[in-house]
Amino acid sequence: MSRGSRLAIVGLGVNGLCTAWALLRAGFAGELLLLDAFPAGHRRGASQGEERITRTSYETAAFAADARRVQSELWPALEADVGRRLVTLGPAVFWGPESGPLPSYARAVAEAGGVAHALTPAEARHRFPTMRFPDAERVLLDPHAGVIHAAETLAALEGWLAERGAVRRVATVSALHEEGEGVALVLADGEVVRAHAAVVSAGPWLPRLLPGYTKTVVPVRQHVGFWPMEARAGHTPAWVFLAPGGLHYGLPTLGGGVMKAAFHATRAEPDDPDVVEEASPVSLSAVEARLREWFVAAPGPLLRGETCWYANVAEDQFILQRAPTHPHVLVLSACSGHAFKLGPLTGLRASAQAVQLLAGGA
Ligand SMILES: Cc1cc2nc3c(=O)[nH]c(=O)nc-3n(C[C@H](O)[C@H](O)[C@H](O)COP(=O)(O)OP(=O)(O)OC[C@H]3O[C@@H](n4cnc5c(N)ncnc54)[C@H](O)[C@@H]3O)c2cc1C
């Protein structure tokens, strides 16, 4: 990678920031230009909010293996670099009808060499007495899970990158054009910025910037609620109810005494990420009904709701590839609702491909 190379990263959610982190760690000596439509700490994309689940149980062995690697190697590396704790480890539990994805989770974890203990519902209730596990035949206990300090992770990354000279600009990229041996980024105010290559990690806005992805990447708004409940990170498990029609999940918030919960909406018509809409007690009433069913003590009245974005790809897959229409643009869409935990690993992979692209490799 030449000292004079200039790389632009468009989109500074967890994936764009982790890509920049991995590049600088690997000794990237060129100019790194970081662009986001909004200032640091904004709440408009997929990465905002205080916390996310980390877990090592997944439906496929590939994701289970990645989740183990990122948790054991890369989150600790990121924590060491920024000098802050970013993950509170704790258990997670998974249950649901055997006709749903639960059996695949058990198989995938075993195939990936991971650990998920199968408990009877009675054993699970004994271990986690706030939960009921109704109608479950078995409960999977993932001992290697926990809560990621999401907002703190983004803030720590922003600070670490700024200290190392990465230039961050608040600017919307409205178009990308191949130009000679590089790419021209047209900003919303008409300014044109040139780079040898660009990584586009624009979350739910990706299809707007690169319309070739309109059919593969579907932005879907998520409604998330926060209820007063007995919950403490590191002790109360993160939980996932796996049903054939989709999953519900929840986790204790970092402040304690509050449960964050939602339905993981993956099948829906595309929404417009520029339209701001609040979650409401009505949009969250079905989730609240589930909490009443699954927890021994009923939740208190909804404290607040939030919306957030998934950029759904079939089978919750990630995209990391050169844009077919733009050979100097690397597209990173790891946004199907479960990518925060994998951010440092996704960033590592994206950084390796960006270096290859700058070096002119295929
Ligand atoms: C409600 C909810 C709960 C979740 N729970 C979990 C969980 O428990 N565990 C887990 O691992 N994952 C979870 N996820 C998923 C995870 O948070 C996302 O997959 C991840 O944050 C995606 O990050 P990103 O960087 O790809 O996208 P984003 O965070 O959306 O970042 C994209 C950025 O690009 C910028 N941008 C877009 N277009 C342009 C443009 N044209 N010019 C300049 N900038 C632009 C945006 O402003 C934005 O900052 C959850 C997601 C949601 C919404």
Side-chain angles (χ1 to χ4, degrees):
M1 175 178 14
S2 79
R3 185 161 283 280
S5 57
R6 184 184 217 203
L7 179 71
I9 299 185
V10 182
L12 304 176
V14 69
N15 285 312
L17 290 172
C18 282
T19 303
W21 167 70
L23 276 161
L24 292 190
R25 274 192 119 218
F28 178 76
E31 185 192 349
L32 200 52
L33 176 60
L34 307 178
L35 298 166
D36 199 286
F38 302 106
H42 76 85
R43 301 184 72 85
R44 292 288 302 280
S47 300
Q48 76 269 17
E50 299 306 313
E51 51 272 303
R52 292 287 188 277
I53 297 174
T54 181
R55 55 179 161 107
T56 55
S57 298
Y58 257 100
E59 193 170 0
T60 65
F63 274 129
D66 281 355
R68 281 180 66 205
R69 179 173 172 209
V70 76
Q71 200 183 87
S72 61
E73 288 175 29
L74 294 164
W75 278 102
L78 176 54
E79 289 180 319
D81 279 359
V82 301
R84 289 197 223 175
R85 187 168 75 144
L86 302 174
V87 182
T88 297
L89 292 172
V93 285
F94 301 75
W95 80 101
E98 294 289 316
S99 57
L102 191 74
S104 314
Y105 273 66
R107 270 196 304 275
V109 175
E111 206 180 307
V115 179
H117 305 294
L119 307 182
T120 64
E123 286 168 338
R125 281 191 284 273
H126 181 71
R127 173 86 194 260
F128 303 110
T130 59
M131 302 185 74
R132 288 189 211 274
F133 305 106
D135 305 323
E137 283 176 39
R138 60 174 159 166
V139 175
L140 287 187
L141 166 61
D142 178 345
H144 302 297
V147 181
I148 298 171
H149 306 211
E152 208 168 331
T153 298
L154 301 189
L157 281 164
E158 293 265 6
W160 189 90
L161 292 166
E163 280 166 19
R164 280 151 190 82
V167 178
R168 187 203 204 279
R169 286 185 62 182
V170 178
T172 302
V173 177
S174 38
L176 295 161
H177 300 299
E178 285 289 313
E179 199 181 76
E181 288 306 298
V183 60
L185 296 89
V186 184
L187 307 187
D189 64 2
E191 185 189 350
V192 178
V193 174
R194 292 185 169 78
H196 295 96
V199 176
V200 173
S201 48
W205 287 272
L206 171 65
R208 186 151 307 171
L209 197 50
L210 291 167
Y213 287 91
T214 304
K215 288 207 172 111
T216 28
V217 177
V218 181
V220 178
R221 194 186 310 270
Q222 307 291 311
H223 293 245
V224 184
F226 295 80
W227 288 267
M229 287 180 75
E230 192 184 320
R232 190 153 63 99
H235 299 267
T236 309
W239 52 270
V240 183
F241 173 72
L242 297 162
L247 62 87
H248 283 77
Y249 66 88
L251 64 159
T253 59
L254 292 165
V258 175
M259 185 76 77
K260 169 180 173 178
F263 176 67
H264 175 79
T266 54
R267 293 184 206 111
E269 290 302 305
D271 286 323
D272 179 351
D274 283 333
V275 175
V276 177
E277 189 184 298
E278 293 309 317
S280 69
V282 173
S283 69
L284 291 163
S285 59
V287 177
E288 186 171 312
R290 298 301 230 162
L291 293 179
R292 289 177 193 285
E293 193 184 326
W294 293 332
F295 286 84
V296 173
L302 179 70
L303 292 171
R304 63 191 170 89
E306 267 178 17
T307 59
C308 178
W309 288 93
Y310 288 177
N312 286 326
V313 175
E315 321 234 311
D316 291 355
Q317 288 299 320
F318 295 173
I319 297 172
L320 178 57
Q321 61 178 208
R322 282 195 198 192
T325 48
H326 295 69
H328 292 90
V329 172
L330 185 66
V331 171
L332 169 53
S333 178
C335 200
S336 294
H338 63 112
F340 207 109
K341 68 183 77 57
L342 297 167
L345 177 57
T346 307
L348 187 68
R349 290 177 174 154
S351 72
Q353 287 211 22
V355 167
Q356 220 182 14
L357 201 161
L358 284 167

